[in-house]
Amino acid sequence: MAQRRNGKITKYPRSLNINIGIVLFALIFVYIVICIFQYFNTKHIVGYEVKEGSLSSDNIYTALALRTEELVEATDAGYVNYFATEGVRVGVGNLVYTIDESGQLLEYLKSQGTDDFKLSNEDLSELRTQIVNYASGFNENQFYTVYDFKTSLDGTVQKLSNASILQNIQSLNSGSATLQSINYYYSPLSGIVVYSTDGFEDVTLNTVTMDMFDQSTYSKTQLINNEIVKSGDVVYKVCTDENWSIVIPESDPEKVQELLDLEYVKVRFLKNQYESWGQVSSYTNADGDTFVQLSFTNSMLTFCKDRFLSVELITEEQSGLKIPNSSISEQSFFIVPKEYVTKGTDGSDGVLRVTYDDNGQETSEFVATTIYNEQDENYYLDDSTLRAGDILIKLDSTDRFTVSAKDTLVGVYNINKGYPDFKQIIILYQNSEYSIVKSNTTYGLNVYDYIVLDASTIDGTDSEASVAGDESSNG
């Protein structure tokens, strides 16, 4: 027992066992982390496919449409029912609407078994066309147009069903007191029927103000079927003249004068991409606001229900190869007279450069180089294979030329061969995002070439850098 109480516990040092597998795993893990970090902090080369295209000046406006519009008022009170389709031309004497003084027409028709109306294929086609036209021009930033579309569609359905009602009325008992309370109204004018009003019907170029272009305060009254009207209320309006115009505000006097000098300007309506030529005129009101009017002699029917239109004025339009501005870069090249450029044994372009052997004796060597442009009597040669101060030899002559002069070319990096190769471009037109460049030039681009989307990802001193494995995208 005494021996047990006096016993001591001795701790032995633990040996460090190094597992080679853990070390390798740690090294691989660190390597992967470094690679991921470098990947996300390195600009990657993305390709862009060159295609033919066009650009126009960025002249997009919200225009106010002005037409010759005549308001037609009701002469009797009652429930109005429309029979002429909105947006369709009517002649003098054509039936446009009826007024039911008793308000019992629909109940009477139901009692006669005529409440089931079927739309013809032509009627359904009209509805489909209206829906497709709206869907193609829908803008999420102008959601309020949905309500106008809903009202317009309801009106179209009502007018189509009213056409069937009219046929049934004629087949019913003409001696009925209900039918005797229906008054028929025919168009006193020839033109396009529109079932809405907005108070702009009498506006002309000389009465336009800047406040009129504030769409947040704009209000349009849609005239609805089976609504009660009083004598003197507006029941519809007629656009009586095919000649119409749009008005845009323009505060830049130089731009106004430019448009006036052109006399006629091509206008693209963004609603349906329709294009038409408008005659230019202008007016400056007492407040100093200047408005430009573009007058047309056609297409009024297409836009008869629109008061505001998004339009683009095409004052300049160029066609060619369309490339993004981000792909454009500049690079310096040596300027060498053409007579100093020769062909190598393999047919490649190059120059004869003076060099010296181990004994200090002058000799020459062929240096392959790429021609990037030519101007007058000179070639633009790559500065990666030549150095300032190199002495070139003219073939079959004792003439010498010292490389020194440089110039800068504007171009893009072509990656058709898997590495970026600079190609000069001639810019025909440019806006904030894209450029139109000349096609089929000797040292330039062709359609379907692949170029670097972002020129800043290329090191201009290393045009042979590989782009293998980088991502490409179509333009």
Side-chain angles (χ1 to χ4, degrees):
M1 294 295 292
Q3 290 178 350
R4 289 182 183 177
R5 287 196 288 277
N6 294 331
K8 296 181 179 180
I9 299 175
T10 303
K11 293 184 179 181
Y12 292 91
R14 300 179 62 183
S15 61
L16 180 62
N17 296 322
I18 300 177
N19 189 324
I20 189 66
I22 295 177
V23 173
L24 291 176
F25 177 81
L27 292 175
I28 293 173
F29 178 77
V30 172
Y31 174 76
I32 292 174
V33 170
I34 294 174
C35 290
I36 293 175
F37 178 80
Q38 290 179 338
Y39 178 85
F40 285 104
N41 286 275
T42 302
K43 290 185 177 180
H44 300 278
I45 298 175
V46 178
Y48 177 90
E49 184 180 11
V50 177
K51 294 183 178 180
E52 293 182 332
S54 63
L55 286 180
S56 57
S57 298
D58 188 13
N59 297 324
I60 297 179
Y61 298 87
T62 297
L64 183 69
L66 303 181
R67 295 172 287 265
T68 303
E69 299 167 313
E70 297 289 339
L71 299 176
V72 178
E73 298 177 350
T75 56
D76 296 297
Y79 291 87
V80 63
N81 288 281
Y82 297 108
F83 294 96
T85 303
E86 186 176 31
V88 173
R89 182 178 295 276
V90 296
V92 176
N94 291 152
L95 177 64
V96 178
Y97 70 101
T98 64
I99 287 185
D100 175 18
E101 296 180 1
S102 66
Q104 299 176 355
L105 175 60
L106 292 181
E107 287 73 9
Y108 180 79
L109 290 174
K110 290 179 181 180
S111 67
Q112 298 296 319
T114 60
D115 56 328
D116 185 17
F117 304 118
K118 292 184 178 181
L119 300 177
S120 66
N121 291 333
E122 291 78 9
D123 297 337
L124 293 174
S125 177
E126 179 180 348
L127 290 174
R128 281 194 295 267
T129 300
Q130 189 172 354
I131 294 171
V132 169
N133 289 339
Y134 173 76
S136 62
F138 176 72
N139 185 348
E140 293 181 354
N141 296 325
Q142 298 178 339
F143 189 77
Y144 62 87
T145 58
V146 173
Y147 302 101
D148 292 337
F149 169 68
K150 177 182 180 298
T151 302
S152 177
L153 196 62
D154 288 341
T156 301
V157 173
Q158 287 284 352
K159 289 189 287 287
L160 293 176
S161 59
N162 280 353
S164 298
I165 292 176
L166 182 62
Q167 296 177 356
N168 290 319
I169 289 176
Q170 296 171 349
S171 63
L172 295 175
N173 181 9
S174 59
S176 168
T178 300
L179 298 183
Q180 291 177 354
S181 67
I182 298 175
N183 298 316
Y184 298 83
Y185 296 90
Y186 303 88
S187 176
L189 304 167
S190 176
I192 309 300
V193 174
V194 177
Y195 296 116
S196 64
T197 62
D198 57 10
F200 285 70
E201 286 78 14
D202 296 326
V203 175
T204 63
L205 175 62
N206 294 347
T207 59
V208 171
T209 63
M210 286 298 298
D211 294 339
M212 295 180 180
F213 291 87
D214 185 3
Q215 297 188 55
S216 63
T217 61
Y218 175 73
S219 176
K220 181 171 71 172
T221 301
Q222 191 73 36
L223 305 174
I224 308 298
N225 266 297
N226 299 320
E227 292 288 329
I228 191 168
V229 297
K230 304 186 297 293
S231 177
D233 288 348
V234 175
V235 285
Y236 68 97
K237 66 183 177 185
V238 181
C239 303
T240 59
D241 196 340
E242 183 66 21
N243 297 322
W244 67 295
S245 65
I246 59 174
V247 175
I248 60 174
E250 180 55 70
S251 58
D252 186 354
E254 294 184 0
K255 186 63 177 180
V256 173
Q257 190 58 48
E258 176 188 347
L259 295 174
L260 291 173
D261 292 341
L262 292 173
E263 296 185 9
Y264 287 87
V265 172
K266 182 189 288 189
V267 179
R268 178 182 292 128
F269 296 89
L270 302 186
K271 174 182 178 180
N272 55 4
Q273 299 301 308
Y274 175 81
E275 295 180 355
S276 184
W277 288 88
Q279 186 176 11
V280 183
S281 58
S282 68
Y283 173 74
T284 302
N285 62 19
D287 297 329
D289 300 321
T290 300
F291 303 94
V292 175
Q293 182 179 45
L294 297 144
S295 302
F296 307 95
T297 59
N298 54 31
S299 67
M300 187 275 292
L301 174 63
T302 306
F303 307 104
C304 63
K305 294 182 284 185
D306 299 305
R307 183 63 67 188
F308 293 97
L309 291 165
S310 294
V311 299
E312 180 180 9
L313 306 188
I314 305 175
T315 56
E316 296 180 27
E317 189 171 32
Q318 294 283 353
S319 298
L321 302 180
K322 186 176 181 180
I323 63 173
N325 292 338
S326 60
S327 65
I328 299 175
S329 180
E330 293 183 355
Q331 188 167 322
S332 297
F333 297 91
F334 285 118
I335 302 175
V336 176
K338 291 182 178 180
E339 58 263 28
Y340 286 88
V341 178
T342 185
K343 293 286 186 180
T345 56
D346 59 354
S348 61
D349 294 316
V351 294
L352 292 175
R353 180 169 61 187
V354 172
T355 186
Y356 297 90
D357 59 20
D358 295 338
N359 299 322
Q361 298 294 319
E362 182 181 298
T363 182
S364 65
E365 64 174 347
F366 178 80
V367 179
T369 186
T370 304
I371 300 174
Y372 287 90
N373 188 32
E374 60 179 288
Q375 189 175 43
D376 300 328
E377 300 299 321
N378 299 315
Y379 281 134
Y380 285 68
L381 304 183
D382 187 4
D383 62 357
S384 65
T385 55
L386 295 176
R387 300 180 299 271
D390 283 347
I391 299 175
L392 307 183
I393 302 173
K394 183 178 179 181
L395 191 64
D396 299 328
S397 173
T398 59
D399 294 344
R400 307 293 178 94
F401 176 80
T402 302
V403 176
S404 61
K406 299 184 75 172
D407 196 7
T408 301
L409 294 179
V410 177
V412 297
Y413 291 99
N414 185 302
I415 54 175
N416 289 348
K417 299 177 181 179
Y419 59 86
D421 184 20
F422 189 87
K423 295 290 184 181
Q424 185 205 13
I425 59 173
I426 300 175
I427 299 176
L428 300 177
Y429 184 73
Q430 189 176 51
N431 63 16
S432 59
E433 296 183 356
Y434 290 93
S435 295
I436 296 296
V437 303
K438 191 174 182 180
S439 61
N440 299 321
T441 55
T442 305
Y443 304 101
L445 293 176
N446 294 305
V447 64
Y448 305 127
D449 279 349
Y450 274 88
I451 62 175
V452 175
L453 177 62
D454 185 358
S456 65
T457 60
I458 300 297
D459 181 2
T461 62
D462 185 15
S463 62
E464 299 297 318
S466 174
V467 293
D470 285 322
E471 182 180 357
S472 296
S473 64
N474 289 339

